[in-house]
Amino acid sequence: MAVAQDVLPLPEFPEETGIPAKLPKWQDDIPEAQEDTPTAPVSTPAPSAPSAQALVPRDRTRVAVLGYHNFSETKPVTEMLMRTSEFRRQMEEIRMSGYKVISMQEFLEWRFGARQLPEKCILITMDDGWKSVYTDAYPILREYGYPFHLFLYTQYLTGRGDSMNKEQIREMMAHGASIGSHSTGHLYPRSWKAAAAKGEEEYNKLIDREIGQSLTKLTELFGPINTYCYPGGYNTQAMVDKLPGYGYVAAFTVIPGKVTESENPWLIHRYMIFGTDPSIFRNAMDFRVAEQGRSISTGTTPGTLSASTPLPPFPVFPKPASTVPCEVPTISANLGDAAGVDFSTLHMKVSGFGRVPAKVDANKKTIEWTPPCRIYMPNISVHVTWTGTDGSARKAEWSFRVDKDMPGQQ
């Protein structure tokens, strides 16, 4: 038996933008902006949180969308698997921050003009359908009274091994969870590229199966579905063009950055919170800069540097102004030719990721960092900073381009 979701009806999207030109009639029934009661019932109340922020005009709100995968207190930590205790610590940090945790329904109403929110908000999402979401994360989320959104791919709804079953999902829906699609089979880019190579007809068939049929199946199981999450963040214009026709109103990427009211509803930024990199959660919680999926730079194009920026005086990779596939290899710099480097002060920032946990090897005189996921931002800037042995502040900067359609290592 399907469990009904309280979700938005499909807005009418003008073909040229994919964004509602005016508020649909259903929005007339939504009350004037006011503080809401928690979406999820709280079984064990958490300690009192700081006062909620006041509602602000829509263009002043920014939302950090968090993306999680798998949890365990005993299994080895990986990018996709986080310590359950670390997840609890993060939820407590959100509580102490006073930021409002919103539901997907509230997020969509805000994005499409029907609701005001506080200035700083958090939206929690969970990908795939791992059983540990039910056993580990869900009790914590329910304790804190936080709503959350499950992006499920239908071939993983078996209840076998590490996957959740339908009854577990329905239980969570009764206590704060909502559902979105994460495709049918969670395909990797090579599968999409292989279909595209066979022609438009084959490619459209794959889109229908992965994106269209997944919505149909999830709707049959759990009620209306209207959000999509690109597996691995991989998307093409053909996918985006077909989303509204299936009944979706928004789609999410893996590109980090704060979401504003002018966000493209088909390419919504999201921080993927990896178990091996605590800096991503710190960046998500930092509302001092409206990142919009990129870092501030001196260039007119996000992620690039001005033409007057001097090239690094030592070898770097990727090379300045080069083009690489979205499977970006290690980003590195070799400071062997730089004099007087205090390697204990060497740091790296990458646009869209902020300061990254780069590995420094003082013996080899290198700094390097491997992105934890594919990169789909078209322009990336790298900023390496250090203090010289004479106490002076120094830096090297360069930028490169990312072509998501360029063949790379699969």
Side-chain angles (χ1 to χ4, degrees), residues 3 38 42 46 72 99 119 155 193 247 286 293 323 327 362:
V3 177
V42 181
S72 175
Y99 302 159
E119 187 175 8
Q155 289 182 357
K193 293 175 182 178
D286 186 353
T323 300
E327 292 88 356

Side-chain angles (χ1 to χ4, degrees), residues 46 106 124 154-155 164 175 212 235 257 305 316 344 366 371 385:
E106 291 173 309
I124 299 171
T154 57
Q155 289 182 357
M164 283 189 288
H175 298 284
N235 66 84
L305 301 170
V316 299
S344 67
T366 59
T385 59

Side-chain angles (χ1 to χ4, degrees), residues 28-343:
D28 297 338
D29 299 328
I30 297 175
E32 293 296 320
Q34 57 187 1
E35 292 293 343
D36 300 315
T37 55
T39 301
V42 181
S43 57
T44 306
S48 298
S51 299
Q53 298 180 23
L55 302 179
V56 299
R58 289 180 57 250
D59 62 358
R60 284 180 52 193
T61 294
R62 284 178 290 154
V63 180
V65 184
L66 311 182
Y68 294 92
H69 288 86
N70 199 2
F71 306 89
S72 175
E73 197 59 34
T74 57
K75 295 179 181 178
V77 169
T78 67
E79 290 175 355
M80 300 298 152
L81 188 146
M82 170 179 288
R83 282 277 174 266
T84 307
S85 55
E86 172 62 15
F87 179 70
R88 174 180 284 279
R89 187 200 67 76
Q90 292 182 3
M91 297 304 101
E92 174 65 11
E93 183 171 336
I94 292 172
R95 186 192 71 82
M96 291 302 297
S97 73
Y99 302 159
K100 180 175 175 61
V101 178
I102 59 175
S103 67
M104 181 62 74
Q105 176 75 1
E106 291 173 309
F107 174 84
L108 293 174
E109 289 174 1
W110 163 74
R111 172 58 189 81
F112 294 122
R115 175 185 292 272
Q116 288 178 283
L117 293 172
E119 187 175 8
K120 303 169 185 178
C121 295
I122 305 291
L123 174 62
I124 299 171
T125 67
M126 306 274 176
D127 288 6
D128 300 339
W130 295 93
K131 184 181 294 182
S132 64
V133 171
Y134 176 78
T135 59
D136 291 43
Y138 166 54
I140 296 171
L141 291 164
R142 190 173 179 188
E143 175 184 337
Y144 280 86
Y146 291 163
F148 56 104
H149 196 66
L150 302 173
F151 283 117
L152 306 172
Y153 71 96
T154 57
Q155 289 182 357
Y156 199 48
L157 300 180
T158 64
R160 297 189 296 270
D162 290 329
S163 68
M164 283 189 288
N165 61 42
K166 302 173 187 64
E167 289 70 29
Q168 291 167 335
I169 294 168
R170 289 176 179 136
E171 178 187 334
M172 289 189 290
M173 291 177 67
H175 298 284
S178 55
I179 307 297
S181 171
H182 198 31
S183 80
T184 295
H186 201 293
L187 300 183
Y188 289 98
R190 62 176 175 269
S191 298
W192 289 104
K193 293 175 182 178
K198 296 178 181 178
E200 183 177 357
E201 183 178 355
E202 286 299 313
Y203 196 66
N204 284 332
K205 286 181 180 179
L206 188 60
I207 293 176
D208 287 337
R209 188 188 79 194
E210 289 297 310
I211 300 178
Q213 292 180 25
S214 64
L215 180 142
T216 300
K217 179 66 173 178
L218 290 169
T219 298
E220 291 173 353
L221 292 171
F222 306 116
I225 303 296
N226 64 2
T227 57
Y228 185 73
C229 171
Y230 304 103
Y234 184 79
N235 66 84
T236 64
Q237 190 60 48
M239 295 178 192
V240 173
D241 290 344
K242 289 175 75 68
L243 282 166
Y246 297 125
Y248 295 105
V249 302
F252 292 73
T253 71
V254 297
I255 298 174
K258 304 299 187 295
V259 180
T260 70
E261 52 87 26
S262 61
E263 182 89 346
N264 183 339
W266 305 119
L267 296 169
I268 297 174
H269 292 97
R270 196 166 58 130
Y271 292 88
M272 301 313 298
I273 311 299
F274 297 121
T276 54
D277 189 353
S279 68
I280 302 174
F281 180 76
R282 291 198 300 269
N283 293 340
M285 293 292 287
D286 186 353
F287 282 79
R288 291 175 297 178
V289 178
E291 294 157 283
Q292 291 282 352
R294 62 243 185 188
S295 65
I296 293 176
S297 71
T298 57
T300 56
T301 301
T304 64
L305 301 170
S306 69
S308 61
T309 302
L311 294 176
F314 41 72
V316 299
F317 186 84
K319 293 181 179 180
S322 64
T323 300
V324 300
C326 60
E327 292 88 356
V328 177
T330 297
I331 299 172
S332 64
N334 188 323
L335 285 73
D337 296 332
V341 177
D342 180 352
F343 283 89

Side-chain angles (χ1 to χ4, degrees), residues 383-403:
H383 312 261
V384 175
T385 59
W386 69 95
T387 301
T389 52
D390 61 357
S392 61
R394 304 180 187 181
K395 68 177 180 179
E397 302 174 290
W398 76 99
S399 60
F400 59 90
R401 294 181 293 274
V402 176
D403 182 351

